[in-house]
Amino acid sequence: MAAKTIVFLLLAICSFFTFALGCYSEGYLGKWKMLKRSIGISAMHMALLPNDRIVAFDRTNMGPSNITLPSGKCPKISKFIDCYAHSVEFNLANRSVRALTVLSDTWCSSGALDPDGMLVQSGGYNDGQRVVRYLKPCPNSDWVEDPKGLIQPRWYASNQILPNGKIIVVGGRFQYSYEFIPKTSKSDHKLYQLPFLQETNYYKSVQNNLYPFTHLSPDGNLFIFANDRAILLDYVNNIVVRNYPVMPGGFSRNYPSTGSSVLLPLKLLPNNATNTPDAEVLICGGTLPYSNFHANKGEFLDAAKTCGRLVITKENAEWEVEDMPMNRVMGDMLLLPTGDVLIINGAAKGTAGWGVAREPVLNPLLYHPDMPSSNGTSNGNIVFSTDQEHRGRFLILSPTTIPRLYHSTAHLLSDGRVLLGGSNPNRNYNFTTRYPTELSLEVFYPPYLCSDKSRPSIAWVKPSVELGYKQIFSLGFHLKGKIDIEKLYVTMVAPSFSTHSFSMNQRLLVLALEQVSETSTGNFVVEGYAPATAALAPPGYYQLFVVHDGVPSRGTWVNIK
């Protein structure tokens, strides 16, 4: 069949979310499936490596887990010999579990993937507070630890990969500073004070600014949100570039009043070499500043119902506030390959912490960023269903049966499913209490995985899966049936590190495209541009997805340098 070339219109780029309701309007609201009844530990922290293996770990000071280390491998942790594993590798292909050896306490630590796909993991509790740990995405690899990898103790800190490939570590309990890892240059051994973190610590007994939300802005500066407000930081020169207004509502959004945050999709145009797109942050959930104090006395206050959006690249930006269909604290927010946001896990009352949450929220929400916020209205291109599941930009999805509360995690998988793990609001492993320790992994199938639509399938990427900035590349894919050019786009998704309701380093770019060619029946080639700068896409591994009519392909790993 002769090649049939279809030129991309600007309309297709600007309105790429207008078609996301195909399956949803037909009543398909997703489904749940148990993947593994027990991986031996409760997945407090979770990351996906470029070899499609999941790494999960808990803390080392809660006593025995339900999985032991290989014979003869019993390290000394915090002055005790411990033969139990507190970290595992989960093979998604065959559902096997491999025990990993952690030598220091990882409780409430942070992490990121470096440009080579290695998991760099920092901080923790007690003997783990200054440790930096490394795990390569290689067969039979295990944790390698640097006990002096951090200058300051980092417990409840956040990590963000930067344009130069370094990782910035921000905050921690009573730590009002930041530093860089790994420490390979003189400047990496310097500590940078950040008074903003002390200013947002309103109550010393309940900080409400731990695990600050960090997002790399397309201009290369770092957005940092703590408690109820944010700054834009030039971390190289340690200068606050912009102060943002307080998020309305009177709620705290960071641990232990735990909400969640995402950087909404960055939409790139063909002239992206000279065009920096606007960047917008979405923050949802949390609770009142004193809720943790009341919960510890047995009074469980309602969680926040609000979300706020802020264009962080705009001077004098103001928050746009909207209501979720239900209250939620400790909800995880994930960017799906379509560009929609999934809000999952959490509770309707109380806070994060040991046994201080009630009323698990079992229904996930799907948030459509480009829809109007008022139900039943249109923004010119979008007219969406007014059935009872829709509340403005939100769609209420099918519920799980497993509460995922404190210390639960969520992660996007390469096949488009969402992996859920963890939940242990108990000081130790406890399987008989109101909300027992959860060792299982389950998966949620978002509505785009309904079976009535053809799913694109990526065949190849040329010249290779190693991309350079500004590079023109071609992507071959197969699609059954008729293609609709206005319903086709390509996204590039960075793998995240998930813990305490925040997926660090999460990022999604909608790539600039030139044209699509049909080379034979059902076979297509799309030509596009890699992101222009490392501020748009820090160096490292990403997954490419072709999305057609609201249905994404399986992700293909690429590496940009």
Side-chain angles (χ1 to χ4, degrees), residues 17 261-265 282 284 332-336 338-344 365-369 393-395 397 506:
F17 289 144
S261 175
V262 294
L263 178 70
L264 291 175
L282 173 70
C284 293
D332 287 271
M333 294 172 65
L334 293 179
L335 293 166
L336 298 179
T338 55
D340 293 323
V341 181
L342 184 71
I343 307 174
I344 200 164
L365 294 174
L366 198 63
Y367 180 85
H368 308 287
R393 294 180 176 125
F394 297 93
L395 176 66
L397 302 178
Q506 190 173 203

Side-chain angles (χ1 to χ4, degrees), residues 385-448:
S385 171
T386 57
D387 59 21
Q388 62 179 357
E389 291 89 359
H390 281 94
R391 311 284 175 86
R393 294 180 176 125
F394 297 93
L395 176 66
I396 302 174
L397 302 178
S398 299
T400 182
T401 59
I402 301 175
R404 301 279 180 181
L405 301 173
Y406 187 45
H407 291 155
S408 60
T409 44
H411 209 295
L412 174 69
L413 299 179
S414 299
D415 58 14
R417 297 178 299 171
V418 174
L419 183 69
L420 289 311
S423 187
N424 185 20
N426 313 297
R427 291 186 180 274
N428 299 300
Y429 281 14
N430 188 333
F431 303 102
T432 60
T433 188
R434 180 199 298 260
Y435 301 119
T437 304
E438 191 57 61
L439 305 182
S440 68
L441 295 179
E442 61 180 335
V443 284
F444 178 66
Y445 292 73
Y448 53 61

